[in-house]
Amino acid sequence: GDRVFGNLFDHWGGFAEYVAAPASLWVPVPDGLGLPEAAALPQSGVIALQALRDDARLRAGEHILVNGGGGGGGSFAIQFAKALGAQVTAADSAEKAGLMRSLGADRALDYRTEDAFATPARYDVILDFVAARSFAATRRALKPGGRAMLVGGPWGRVLFAGLAGPLLARFDTRRVGLFMWQRNAADLQELANRAAGGDVTVAIDRSFPLAQVPQALAYLGAGHARGKVVIVP
């Protein structure tokens, strides 16, 4: 009877009426948080939290670019960056600009008309959920000492960053690399508590019933979702 949620990424997911998984994967859903909102927290929320807090170590006053800021992970990253006191530029389609601003972005760029990587501004941190630009373009967009983390996008480009980034970091203070999240029940619980307390907004674009999982995945794959897409009973 307990309300719980967890990350089943390596257990083939949770598109089912019932699912069995080790008890260590589950954490309680706090009062005040709905089950659809809880289901939308992993793994996008954990990726954004760990990338900014543990890898980039984003600090107050730094300038961050969240590329893909209107998607699931980007919607969380904008909020966490603002909570840390950073200046946030977010890039995505024009249709998602309103969402990005509502979540705290100082600037919301339309990637179709403005190249966030070629503006005069340079960034202390880049969190890239799309990886649509080359490794070299990403490095050029960083300030000295800047950190860029690729989370999603074409596998070839992401893997190249994971291999080339550590090598070039020996000769340049700018760091570009692949970010890998870590399973952490404490982080899931922190996200849930912050969402239940109103400190984190879970942006849900659409909900689909279980029978329409193929349609939900097609909608998500088209790239138009503002925030998260969830499956409900």
Side-chain angles (χ1 to χ4, degrees), residues 177-194:
L178 168 64
F179 174 74
M180 299 294 292
W181 64 278
Q182 301 293 322
R183 186 185 301 281
N184 188 321
D187 284 346
L188 274 183
Q189 193 67 73
E190 177 185 344
L191 289 172
N193 292 339
R194 291 171 67 174

Side-chain angles (χ1 to χ4, degrees), residues 76-108:
F76 289 115
I78 291 171
Q79 298 180 73
F80 298 152
K82 288 303 295 183
L84 290 169
Q87 177 188 352
V88 179
T89 295
D92 211 309
S93 63
E95 295 79 9
K96 301 180 186 182
L99 172 65
M100 294 189 291
R101 293 191 187 96
S102 72
L103 297 175
D106 299 288
R107 295 186 66 206

